Amino acid sequence: MGYGEKKRKIEKKGKLIKRVLLGILLVCLLGLCVFSHFYPPEAWKYYVSKPNVSRRKSGELRIHFLDVGQGDSTLIEFPDGKVALIDGGEDSGYARRSLLRTLNALKIKTIDHLIVTHTDEDHCGALEELLKYKKVVNAYLPTAFPESGSTYASFFADVTKEAKCQNSSRNVQLTNADSDYVFTFLLPHEFSVEEGVGVSGNSGSAVLWLDYQGVSALFAGDAPATAFEVLAMDEELGYLQAYGVSLSSTEILKVSHHGATDGTTATMVAYMHTETAVISCGKDNSYGHPSAEILDLLSGRGVDVYRTDNQENILITIRENGKYFVSTYSK
């Protein structure tokens, strides 16, 4: 075979390969167009790249502190199968993907208790998207009236159509007679709600307390340090006992206000005998959260500190024997 003929055969084979590859590409593009027509991104985008997280075992109570960027979102799986979500992160694709992909990974279709600690966008931003995909049974909302045009106002308009809604206050306990856990609001005080005070911003942030098998956790929202002074006084006066709350024996703390200096004090950490602290904040955020002062305070008292900006999703599992352990997983 001459060189020229051999060259022509190679060129002919090359053209054939190119045509085949082009045909495959066109078929793939056509298939993608057909798929997108019948299955738009809204139908599948939260089912891809789901986090690799195990399912809850019988008798366990699990607390997921989700990496939603510079914001807060905490998912609680109760031993009776019910689910609570405290806040929903900021209004960003990052937060929406983290929240909804985690829910889908855990095969959670219904939120029994949706709690919004306060109206700041970094705590409620992804919740309007949540309502498109998940059923919400009960919603516990801030006392402050929605500000027109705000992210919270848009969510508020949707959630009040779907769920049974009420204001957050200390007279609300998310525990039934058959439950072996206590989950209750510590703040705001019920008299503030009854009198229509409706404090907005961080000062009006809800604070919740959870106990299961003797292991307790405090979810501080963005509440200022003065709020905990009030709670400590309430406990000293015996007001919290009626709700089954023992603030002074709280092992786990969701640190207030993303680790800002205005949310946590040494007195508070010592009073609660905190062992484990979780800080929810965004990587390289512009606020400087968490502050070096708060990190030094916690480490100086021997508290184990976990951060969503460093470790992504943080999972605390409480078992029936009253033991708990901390693990992390990528979103």
Side-chain angles (χ1 to χ4, degrees):
M1 181 186 297
Y3 173 77
E5 186 178 351
K6 186 176 182 180
K7 182 179 179 181
R8 283 192 297 273
K9 283 189 173 183
I10 292 174
E11 289 176 347
K12 184 177 180 181
K13 185 177 181 181
K15 289 179 181 178
L16 179 61
I17 292 173
K18 288 180 180 179
R19 291 193 189 102
V20 171
L21 292 176
L22 180 61
I24 292 173
L25 179 61
L26 290 174
V27 170
C28 290
L29 288 174
L30 179 62
L32 182 61
C33 291
V34 172
F35 179 83
S36 298
H37 176 74
F38 291 100
Y39 300 97
E42 287 71 19
W44 53 263
K45 63 182 178 181
Y46 298 125
Y47 287 89
V48 298
S49 300
K50 294 182 294 186
N52 184 19
V53 56
S54 63
R55 302 290 297 277
R56 183 185 65 83
K57 296 178 181 178
S58 178
E60 290 182 341
L61 185 149
R62 304 204 304 178
I63 309 169
H64 304 254
F65 299 91
L66 304 181
D67 174 19
V68 289
Q70 183 59 21
D72 263 21
S73 189
T74 304
L75 176 70
I76 305 173
E77 299 178 277
F78 294 103
D80 59 6
K82 290 187 176 180
V83 172
L85 179 66
I86 306 175
D87 291 330
E90 60 186 356
D91 184 13
S92 70
Y94 186 94
R96 290 189 286 270
R97 288 190 296 272
S98 179
L99 174 58
L100 285 160
R101 286 176 179 174
T102 301
L103 290 172
N104 288 335
L106 296 170
K107 301 187 183 303
I108 293 173
K109 297 179 180 179
T110 300
I111 307 296
D112 299 284
H113 304 295
L114 174 60
I115 300 141
V116 182
T117 59
H118 60 303
T119 62
D120 285 359
E121 185 268 342
D122 61 329
H123 288 251
C124 66
L127 292 179
E128 190 172 5
E129 185 81 350
L130 172 83
L131 295 177
K132 298 177 184 178
Y133 300 94
K134 304 299 176 184
K135 176 180 174 59
V136 174
V137 180
N138 301 291
Y140 306 86
L141 307 175
T143 61
F145 194 76
E147 182 180 345
S148 178
S150 66
T151 300
Y152 176 69
S154 181
F155 157 74
F156 182 86
D158 288 343
V159 74
T160 49
K161 296 175 185 176
E162 176 179 332
K164 180 181 178 182
C165 301
Q166 67 181 94
N167 286 129
S168 307
S169 72
R170 192 190 286 177
N171 62 355
V172 176
Q173 284 197 292
L174 312 184
T175 307
N176 58 52
D178 299 325
S179 300
D180 48 5
Y181 57 86
V182 176
F183 188 40
T184 186
F185 285 87
L186 301 186
L187 290 174
H189 284 126
E190 58 269 30
F191 63 79
S192 297
V193 177
E194 291 172 1
E195 294 177 4
V197 175
V199 181
S200 61
N202 294 348
S203 296
S205 178
V207 176
L208 295 101
W209 188 84
L210 169 66
D211 180 87
Y212 177 59
Q213 302 296 4
V215 178
S216 305
L218 186 76
F219 305 94
D222 277 2
T226 52
F228 299 99
E229 295 173 7
V230 170
L231 290 176
M233 184 179 298
D234 285 349
E235 181 163 77
E236 294 298 324
L237 294 173
Y239 296 154
L240 299 185
Q241 294 177 4
Y243 303 95
V245 174
S246 177
L247 187 66
S248 58
S249 61
T250 303
E251 294 91 345
I252 302 163
L253 171 65
K254 199 296 292 181
V255 177
S256 176
H257 200 189
H258 321 289
T261 55
D262 63 351
T264 308
T265 65
T267 302
M268 166 192 154
V269 174
Y271 182 87
M272 293 195 302
H273 299 92
T274 307
E275 297 175 351
T276 302
V278 178
I279 301 173
S280 182
C281 58
K283 187 177 290 293
D284 301 322
N285 65 84
S286 60
Y287 301 96
H289 294 158
S291 74
E293 181 181 334
I294 296 301
L295 293 175
D296 289 345
L297 185 161
L298 293 169
S299 62
R301 300 204 66 89
V303 177
D304 294 326
V305 178
Y306 296 85
R307 299 166 46 171
T308 59
D309 60 336
N310 289 343
Q311 292 144 313
E312 298 190 18
N313 294 339
I314 297 158
L315 172 61
I316 297 181
T317 302
I318 307 174
R319 291 180 169 162
E320 284 184 293
N321 60 5
K323 304 293 184 181
Y324 76 92
F325 63 93
V326 185
S327 58
T328 62
Y329 61 94
S330 298
K331 58 186 179 301

